[in-house]
Amino acid sequence: MTDDTMSHDDTADDNGDDRLDDGVPEHWKHVQRLADGGQPGGQADHGAVFDDDGDVELDRGPIERWAANAIKNPERTYRAMFYTATIFFLFTTLFPFYWLLMVALTPEGQQQDIILTPNGFNPGAFIEVFQVLPFHWYMFNSFVIATASTIIVLVVGSLAGYAFGRLQFPGKIPLMLLVLVISFFPPAAFFIPLNDLFNTSFFALEPITGDGTLYNTPGAMVLPLSAIFMPLAIFILTTFYSQIPDGLEDAARVEGTTRLGALFRVIIPLSAPGVATAGVLTFIAVYNEFFFSFLMTDGQPENWAPILEGILGYQGQYEVMYHLMAASSIIGVIPVAILVIVAQEKIVSGLTAGALKE
């Protein structure tokens, strides 16, 4: 290569640089002169952008870092969430029962010194509960009222659930919406008309109740409580009954059974989780109900006063026997706890039915 050729190339490069500089902003010119891709001084720090695993390191906040770690290690995240939910459940649900037990075991007049252990030891409170008041009669009243209400809800709710879930008739959707709207009404909205009705004397009821009214009778609580918890049972049973294949009902009817017979012989047994769920939820709600029970009875056990009236009976005019109230609360919870333990499998399968598609 001659000197003239080299001079010609240098001249061409200079001319090219001049042409490149024409019309280019000053900050772009600075970037173009950096041969290492924008890092001044010729030192490109690639480690600040990419780590060993190839993940981009960003200036993240604590929430972003937690989300990134959760994506990298989901099992650890699930385990942490499980432990958090368990601790929260134990603290909010089981700790009140633990505190009731501490109060019940503490002798009368020493409850103010309780920290995490009972101030003394008095297991006799669980026997004294039945000596001060006939608490067993209050429990019996609540059990009878809850059982009667549950039976009514399941029978009527099954008929309504069959009609809404398996039949086609005019006005089906408006009736379902009407049931939904009624379920939103607060129970207090029905008290005044029901109170007037149940305190009205009826000639046909005089041989049964004596004064002809429903006040201080199980009917004053069973009827309104059944109506209040009926919509929930209808929605649960409608969902289950609509999932039963039509061929099973048709086969039962071919054998000569009626629609009512197919309901109780085929559909209800196949919908056992839904029926158990509706029944257990209704029983627990009625067993713990206080509003109508307090207003429809005079608080005496012989007049069908429920269990909450018995617990409040240990609160006198001049003293409150907190240890007996705590002991009676624990005793009253035992039947419901046993019911939930026995039917827990049906309840879980009933509440989660339809969540997964097979």
Side-chain angles (χ1 to χ4, degrees):
M1 182 180 294
T2 63
D3 296 338
D4 295 338
T5 304
M6 295 176 60
S7 300
H8 178 71
D9 294 338
D10 295 340
T11 304
D13 293 338
D14 294 339
N15 294 335
D17 292 339
D18 295 338
R19 287 193 302 269
L20 184 62
D21 292 342
D22 293 338
V24 179
E26 187 64 27
H27 63 279
W28 285 14
K29 296 177 183 179
H30 176 70
V31 174
Q32 291 168 358
R33 293 191 184 99
L34 297 176
D36 58 354
Q39 292 292 336
Q43 297 178 355
D45 188 7
H46 297 285
V49 179
F50 297 96
D51 57 6
D52 296 336
D53 297 333
D55 295 333
V56 179
E57 294 290 342
L58 301 176
D59 186 12
R60 294 169 174 158
I63 298 178
E64 289 82 359
R65 288 197 299 270
W66 178 85
N69 293 331
I71 295 174
K72 291 180 182 179
N73 193 352
E75 294 183 359
R76 181 179 179 183
T77 304
Y78 296 153
R79 188 163 52 251
M81 294 177 64
F82 171 77
Y83 290 144
T84 302
T86 302
I87 294 173
F88 179 80
F89 171 78
L90 293 175
F91 183 77
T92 59
T93 304
L94 298 183
F95 182 77
F97 290 101
Y98 170 79
W99 191 257
L100 282 177
L101 182 60
M102 296 301 100
V103 175
L105 295 177
T106 301
E108 183 180 2
Q110 301 180 16
Q111 283 80 16
Q112 66 274 8
D113 298 327
I114 299 176
I115 301 178
L116 291 177
T117 57
N119 185 18
F121 187 70
N122 181 30
F126 292 94
I127 299 176
E128 190 178 355
V129 163
F130 300 97
Q131 296 174 347
V132 176
L133 290 176
F135 189 72
H136 57 286
W137 279 113
Y138 290 102
M139 294 183 61
F140 175 78
N141 295 340
S142 291
F143 185 83
V144 171
I145 294 171
T147 302
S149 301
T150 302
I151 293 174
I152 294 175
V153 167
L154 290 181
V155 172
V156 179
S158 295
L159 298 176
Y162 178 85
F164 286 124
R166 306 191 62 83
L167 301 180
Q168 298 295 332
F169 55 90
K172 176 180 176 180
I173 301 301
L175 284 176
M176 284 290 293
L177 293 176
L178 179 61
V179 173
L180 180 63
V181 170
I182 293 177
S183 65
F184 289 155
F185 280 82
F190 305 102
F191 169 68
I192 294 179
L194 288 176
N195 187 54
D196 292 339
L197 177 64
F198 293 154
N199 281 281
T200 301
S201 179
F202 295 95
F203 176 77
L205 295 177
E206 289 184 358
I208 301 175
T209 62
D211 57 355
T213 65
L214 290 176
Y215 185 75
N216 282 333
T217 64
M221 290 168 284
V222 171
L223 294 178
L225 294 178
S226 300
I228 289 173
F229 299 107
M230 186 75 68
L232 175 61
I234 291 176
F235 280 105
I236 294 176
L237 297 178
T238 298
T239 302
F240 275 87
Y241 292 170
S242 62
Q243 296 175 355
I244 303 299
D246 296 335
L248 297 177
E249 183 181 0
D250 295 339
R253 298 194 63 189
V254 168
E255 295 294 331
T257 186
T258 61
R259 285 189 179 273
L260 191 61
L263 170 62
F264 287 98
R265 295 178 182 177
V266 178
I267 296 176
I268 290 181
L270 293 176
S271 303
V275 177
T277 302
V280 171
L281 293 180
T282 302
F283 183 92
I284 294 175
V286 177
Y287 187 84
N288 295 325
E289 203 277 335
F290 177 71
F291 178 76
F292 280 100
S293 304
F294 178 75
L295 298 174
M296 296 300 182
T297 65
D298 58 3
Q300 299 301 317
E302 62 272 11
N303 291 329
W304 296 96
I307 189 172
L308 288 177
E309 289 279 7
I311 295 175
L312 293 178
Y314 300 105
Q315 180 178 354
Q317 182 177 1
Y318 301 104
E319 64 175 350
V320 179
M321 294 176 283
Y322 292 106
H323 64 301
L324 297 185
M325 295 181 69
S328 60
S329 299
I330 296 175
I331 295 174
V333 169
I334 292 177
V336 177
I338 296 175
L339 177 63
V340 172
I341 292 173
V342 172
Q344 63 176 341
E345 184 177 354
K346 297 293 184 182
I347 296 174
V348 173
S349 59
L351 293 176
T352 58
L356 300 176
K357 183 181 292 185
E358 298 181 357

